[in-house]
Amino acid sequence: MHDPFLIIHPKDNVGVALRDLAEAQQLDTPTGPVKLAEPIAAKHKFTLQPLSAGEAVYMYGVLVGKATRDIPAGGKITTENLVHAAEAFTMAERSAEWEKPDISRFEGRTFRGFHREDGRVGTRNFWLVIPLVFCENRNIQVIREAMTAELGYVTERQFAVDTRRLVEAYRSGANEAALLQEEIIREGAALKEDRVFPQVDGIKFLTHQAGCGGTREDATALCQLLAGYIAHPNVAGATVLSLGCQHAQAAHLREALQRIAPHYNRPLFILEQQQSQSERHFIAEAVKQTFVGLIQANKARREPAPLSKLTLGLECGGSDGFSGISANPALGHASDILVALGGTAILSEFPELNGVEQELLNRCRNEQTAQKFYDLMQTYARRAAEVGSGFDMNPSPGNIRDGLITDAIKSAGAAKKGGSSPVTAVLDYTEQAVTPGLNLLCTPGNDVESTTGLAGSGANIIVFTTGLGTPTGNPVAPTLKMSTNTALARRMPDLIDIDAGTIITGEDNLVSKGEALLELIIEVANGETDPKAMQLQQDDFIPWKRGVSL
């Protein structure tokens, strides 16, 4: 059996317990034997040498905190004896050189996707029904109730109960005995076969609490975000409901769409309620136009596309002490392979890059890209501090409970999702990923605000790593869940698509698991498999208001 602990980087003065370790257990480390001063639970950290109050603590080779009191060798790192600390970062000399991974297994491979007018390729073919303002949320729900069941999109579950068959049998004169014998369970596969528009993977009805009453900046950002969703390669067309008087005007949405997709030619219907004859007429018109649009959307067919047409969103949430040593670096390896093939990866969650800014700055391909990242990080950190919510407050209670004691520890592990490739572009929130390679996208660390932003910037598939478990998904970008530990994969099989805990147990390494993940990504991109979040219809959508959110 492999070592029960891990020292990630030669510079580190703490180790990570890979399984529960007992008090007084002696560990042979590269710097000499360490006798544990107390029990260390799996995922938690212990000192490799005595540390004095004020002394720096290093993990992943970077500063992650400072001791607040003396800690003996083999002592457990906790919130009581460690405080967040991170290195300052500067515009230093850069090096965009990197050692590309072996891509021979994937060279020449393709996936079958939906080719759009702008050259991008979708992994799904959805229709959107979205409001420009929260006032239209009820109408969105009314349209949903009117259309989903009749068109065959009532459920993505494994089965449905078809009560209509009982009604039809009753009206045809069936007696009670016959009704009790009626078969009313319909399997999921049969439900899909009965769809009116089989080439349309789903109708996505989004709601939100924005569009008016906030700042004009928020309304502008919302229009840009919605334009990104409308132009998304996984979207065949859209129906947009507007009240008429709100800050987020339909004209602003059209302007944003023109900037993002000047050659957009998919069906788009924008209806304004204050110009309609009545609410009934307004809803009826929206349903009719959507139906006509679906006829056009149903003409799309999957065709082969190179893997370079994949844009992979990199996300983590419900992180634990294994995130940075199993799932995140495995995803980073898959990201590196995709980038080496000419594809695109997007790393978001700027509060969770705190402490590794220098490494990312050094990987930027040019000074302009580095400067943009520097400015966005400085501005974000300053705004957070101004309202008393600095990056140091980022770890959640669940993060801390499972070994992520400081934001710098959390960030150093979270950044591993981005692999080692050069940073080719830095995007502010709602900007589009148009440059192949690794893109950095400014979003909060909030899971749904971040995944909403990833899809809005063009990710046509998302991989979401988690150590504690989460149901989060996205309406338009299929979202795969990768567990950091096998216990989670076994406990929540309805949420987890692939288990990286086999890296902890030694059954896999980062390369083998990263390649297995990319194979699954291709399978999902082909439409052969729906991730668990899609099966559960976990269509989470929260626009980010540019106030402070971590």
Side-chain angles (χ1 to χ4, degrees):
M1 182 175 287
H2 62 83
D3 289 336
F5 67 96
L6 175 68
I7 300 172
I8 299 171
H9 190 278
K11 190 176 179 179
D12 293 357
N13 54 10
V14 295
V16 184
L18 298 182
R19 56 178 181 268
D20 292 347
L21 305 177
E23 182 179 359
Q25 183 172 345
Q26 184 158 304
L27 306 175
D28 293 324
T29 77
T31 57
V34 173
K35 185 177 181 179
L36 296 180
E38 56 191 301
I40 309 294
K43 307 180 186 180
H44 284 264
K45 288 76 182 171
F46 58 91
T47 57
L48 301 177
Q49 61 199 47
L51 297 178
S52 301
E55 193 166 349
V57 173
Y58 290 89
M59 189 176 172
Y60 299 98
V62 300
L63 176 66
V64 296
K66 289 188 177 180
T68 58
R69 64 190 186 202
D70 293 348
I71 309 174
K76 181 180 177 180
I77 295 295
T78 70
T79 54
E80 284 74 38
N81 60 23
L82 187 72
V83 66
H84 168 83
E87 297 283 5
F89 54 96
T90 62
M91 290 289 292
E93 185 176 343
R94 299 177 312 282
S95 175
E97 297 297 323
W98 70 302
E99 186 176 344
K100 295 183 179 181
D102 179 7
I103 60 173
S104 57
R105 176 174 172 178
F106 298 95
E107 280 187 300
R109 297 276 296 277
T110 62
F111 72 97
R112 295 183 61 80
F114 297 94
H115 293 247
R116 305 302 185 189
E117 75 288 339
D118 57 5
R120 295 188 294 174
V121 180
T123 61
R124 291 295 185 278
N125 194 41
F126 292 125
W127 186 275
L128 284 183
V129 182
I130 54 179
L132 262 178
V133 62
F134 57 79
C135 309
E136 293 299 325
N137 284 348
R138 175 187 169 276
N139 288 333
I140 295 290
Q141 295 302 333
V142 171
I143 295 170
R144 177 177 188 151
E145 292 169 6
M147 300 194 75
T148 50
E150 294 298 328
L151 298 181
Y153 299 107
V154 66
T155 181
E156 292 291 342
R157 296 189 299 271
Q158 295 180 347
F159 72 92
V161 178
D162 189 359
T163 306
R164 178 178 293 186
R165 294 192 64 169
L166 290 176
V167 174
E168 292 173 350
Y170 170 71
R171 286 176 173 171
S172 298
N175 58 29
E176 293 179 3
L179 290 173
L180 291 174
Q181 295 299 314
E182 191 73 35
E183 180 56 60
I184 62 171
I185 297 296
R186 301 186 65 197
E187 297 297 331
L191 292 169
K192 286 188 176 182
E193 289 175 1
D194 287 347
R195 285 178 177 171
V196 177
F197 303 109
Q199 298 304 317
V200 179
D201 292 301
I203 308 173
K204 298 297 183 175
F205 299 85
L206 308 189
T207 58
H208 57 79
Q209 302 302 316
C212 200
T215 67
R216 297 298 175 91
E217 181 186 26
D218 286 338
T220 298
L222 176 66
C223 288
Q224 292 172 174
L225 178 70
L226 294 180
Y229 271 69
I230 292 168
H232 195 282
N234 291 1
V235 173
T239 304
V240 181
L241 303 190
S242 170
L243 179 60
C245 57
Q246 71 277 353
H247 286 327
Q249 287 285 297
H252 298 156
L253 176 66
R254 292 186 185 277
E255 290 167 4
L257 184 61
Q258 176 63 27
R259 288 193 301 271
I260 290 172
H263 303 295
Y264 184 86
N265 66 358
R266 290 168 250 169
L268 174 63
F269 310 114
I270 302 178
L271 296 89
E272 187 169 301
Q273 186 169 7
Q274 289 173 344
Q275 298 297 319
S276 65
Q277 297 177 20
S278 67
E279 183 179 81
R280 293 181 179 184
H281 183 271
F282 179 66
I283 291 172
E285 189 65 20
V287 169
K288 288 188 290 185
Q289 293 204 26
T290 300
F291 191 92
V292 169
L294 287 166
I295 296 173
Q296 295 300 313
N298 195 54
K299 295 177 182 179
R301 296 292 184 274
R302 288 185 179 271
E303 297 177 358
L307 297 186
S308 60
K309 293 296 184 179
L310 289 176
T311 298
L312 180 62
L314 312 173
E315 179 69 22
C316 63
S319 300
D320 70 352
F322 285 164
S323 292
I325 59 179
S326 62
N328 288 352
L331 174 54
H333 185 68
S335 170
D336 281 347
I337 295 174
L338 184 61
V339 167
L341 291 167
T344 305
I346 310 176
L347 178 63
S348 58
E349 301 179 291
F350 273 25
E352 297 182 9
L353 301 179
N354 179 222
V356 293
E357 297 98 334
Q358 193 65 62
E359 176 199 344
L360 292 169
L361 282 168
N362 295 347
R363 286 164 56 185
C364 288
R365 69 173 183 175
N366 56 45
E367 185 174 353
Q368 181 182 10
T369 301
Q371 188 66 56
K372 187 173 182 180
F373 178 57
Y374 179 92
D375 292 343
L376 284 170
M377 284 298 293
Q378 291 280 32
T379 299
Y380 203 147
R382 184 176 64 253
R383 289 183 178 178
E386 286 172 352
V387 296
S389 187
F391 286 168
D392 60 303
M393 301 175 69
N394 179 265
S396 70
N399 295 152
I400 295 169
R401 184 179 63 245
D402 268 44
L404 300 180
I405 304 303
T406 70
D407 185 56
I409 292 177
K410 183 178 181 181
S411 295
K416 296 297 181 183
K417 302 191 302 292
S420 60
S421 67
V423 175
T424 58
V426 173
L427 312 174
D428 200 357
Y429 182 64
T430 74
E431 287 187 316
Q432 299 297 295
V434 296
T435 305
L438 178 62
N439 288 225
L440 305 181
L441 171 65
C442 183
T443 74
N446 175 296
D447 296 348
V448 178
E449 288 176 327
S450 179
T451 51
T452 297
L454 284 168
S457 288
N460 56 9
I461 199 161
I462 295 172
V463 174
F464 191 128
T465 67
T466 181
L468 304 178
T470 172
T472 301
N474 182 264
V476 301
T479 303
L480 291 80
K481 296 290 173 42
M482 189 180 204
S483 67
T484 71
N485 62 89
T486 300
L488 171 62
R490 291 173 177 168
R491 189 171 68 253
M492 295 184 172
D494 54 334
L495 302 183
I496 302 301
D497 298 286
I498 183 170
D499 176 25
T502 52
I503 296 172
I504 302 297
T505 59
E507 301 163 66
D508 274 299
N509 56 39
L510 297 178
V511 172
S512 64
K513 185 55 68 171
E515 290 182 346
L517 173 60
L518 188 52
E519 290 286 2
L520 179 58
I521 289 170
I522 295 170
E523 186 178 315
V524 171
N526 278 330
E528 299 168 8
T529 298
D530 287 342
K532 303 295 177 58
M534 278 189 65
Q535 295 175 30
L536 295 171
Q537 298 188 76
Q538 195 75 33
D539 294 337
D540 300 303
F541 179 79
I542 302 179
W544 178 30
K545 290 188 175 184
R546 290 305 291 263
V548 173
S549 176
L550 295 178

